Amino acid sequence: MVTVVRDDLPGLLATRASLRAQTIAAYDWFVADGASTDGTARWLARHGNEAVWWRSSPDRGLYDAMNTALDAIAERSPSCGPSCSHVLFLNAGDRLADDRVLERLYPILTASPDTGLFYGDAVEELPGGRLVVKPARSHHRALLGMFTHHQAMIYRLAALSNVRFDLRHTLAADYAFTVTVLKQGDPAHRLPLPVCVFATGGRSQKDPARGRREQAIIRRELLGLGRSANATLWGLQWLALTLRQTIPWLYAKYRFSPNERSFLS
């Protein structure tokens, strides 16, 4: 489990509470803090025993911190056993969908040791606190962009030996990372459960135009998509965002599961 944080102690504590609530502790926690000044670094120093690895130092942003954590996992994986076989990125403020997520995940992961990527649904918290399930799309539609939230994806560590986040992309490096893993040819498996409660208001939501531009570059470089097809996909992404912003009920009808609280059953 990798958590990246900078100046968000309340978010880090929310993520920690979600992990501590799990019915099985089948994880090791790696925390990369980007030299926070809000008390996060002091909290980590006092509670460092809760993470098998943590550091608080300057970095070049979210994805650089994730790369640092991946390097730390790779160094420790021979000694930490099955709990280091897969990686889930759960950033500060994100939570697991309920307290049985790891209990449900563990037998699925162990039954498919050759699968490079597992992915499930995500839960979004709407204004007012209402929770809705955002179903994952098929990974075969990765050409359209991320097919679920990054926090709902679990990567097999062995599939990441030569894969790191491309720091040229400040918003869509997780998309490039995921496409690279899929291109290696290992199987991908759709999980039958929501994995995370996604913390809204992140950078990609604040600057969606930049995210679309970075995705266009990734589709061209990694998927060989031409200019016309890229422009068409860019337009469809813009239309979906406009729909969500201007007619949110219609977007919700199309994109969210009608059984919005079924993940709690």
Side-chain angles (χ1 to χ4, degrees), residues 216-232:
I217 294 171
I218 292 163
R219 283 192 291 264
R220 185 184 70 242
E221 292 182 351
L222 297 181
L223 299 173
L225 203 66
R227 180 176 299 177
S228 297
N230 242 330
T232 299

Side-chain angles (χ1 to χ4, degrees), residues 31-247:
V31 182
D33 171 48
S36 292
T37 59
D38 70 336
T40 296
R42 289 194 300 274
W43 185 91
L44 285 168
R46 292 195 301 268
H47 299 84
N49 60 320
E50 295 191 25
V52 300
W53 175 91
W54 71 274
R55 73 99 172 93
S56 182
S57 60
D59 53 48
R60 290 177 286 172
L62 176 75
Y63 297 119
D64 187 35
M66 289 180 177
N67 283 341
T68 300
L70 282 176
D71 291 342
I73 293 172
E75 291 175 2
R76 291 171 176 263
S77 59
S79 61
C80 63
S83 59
C84 283
S85 61
H86 295 80
V87 180
L88 169 63
F89 297 93
L90 201 67
N91 296 332
D94 298 318
R95 313 186 302 278
L96 294 173
D98 62 54
D99 59 7
R100 294 183 58 209
V101 168
L102 295 185
E103 178 186 334
R104 297 186 184 106
L105 276 177
Y106 188 75
I108 298 173
L109 301 185
T110 54
S112 304
D114 296 327
T115 298
L117 170 65
F118 296 85
Y119 63 96
D121 300 339
V123 178
E124 288 196 6
E125 186 170 356
L126 301 181
R130 187 163 65 101
L131 299 176
V132 294
V133 176
K134 189 174 185 180
R137 295 187 292 259
S138 168
H139 66 280
H140 296 295
R141 301 176 66 187
L143 191 69
L144 300 177
M146 288 291 271
F147 39 93
T148 190
H149 285 300
H150 191 221
Q151 295 87 337
M153 295 180 170
I154 299 101
Y155 304 86
R156 184 165 59 98
L157 184 61
L160 304 181
S161 58
N162 296 310
V163 182
R164 290 296 183 268
F165 293 93
D166 187 340
L167 301 188
R168 293 179 301 158
H169 308 300
T170 60
L171 298 180
D174 50 358
Y175 178 49
F177 184 89
T178 304
V179 168
T180 301
V181 171
L182 290 173
K183 285 185 64 179
Q184 293 179 154
D186 292 333
H189 180 81
R190 170 75 152 82
L191 295 166
L193 70 151
V195 176
C196 71
V197 179
F198 171 68
T200 59
R203 297 177 308 156
S204 61
Q205 294 180 326
K206 295 176 181 177
D207 192 2
R210 179 167 187 162
R212 290 195 299 272
R213 289 194 297 270
E214 291 185 1
Q215 286 190 30
I217 294 171
I218 292 163
R219 283 192 291 264
R220 185 184 70 242
E221 292 182 351
L222 297 181
L223 299 173
L225 203 66
R227 180 176 299 177
S228 297
N230 242 330
T232 299
L233 288 177
W234 191 96
L236 290 173
Q237 290 176 325
W238 174 86
L239 182 62
L241 177 64
T242 302
L243 181 66
R244 180 166 194 171
Q245 293 175 336
T246 58
I247 318 178

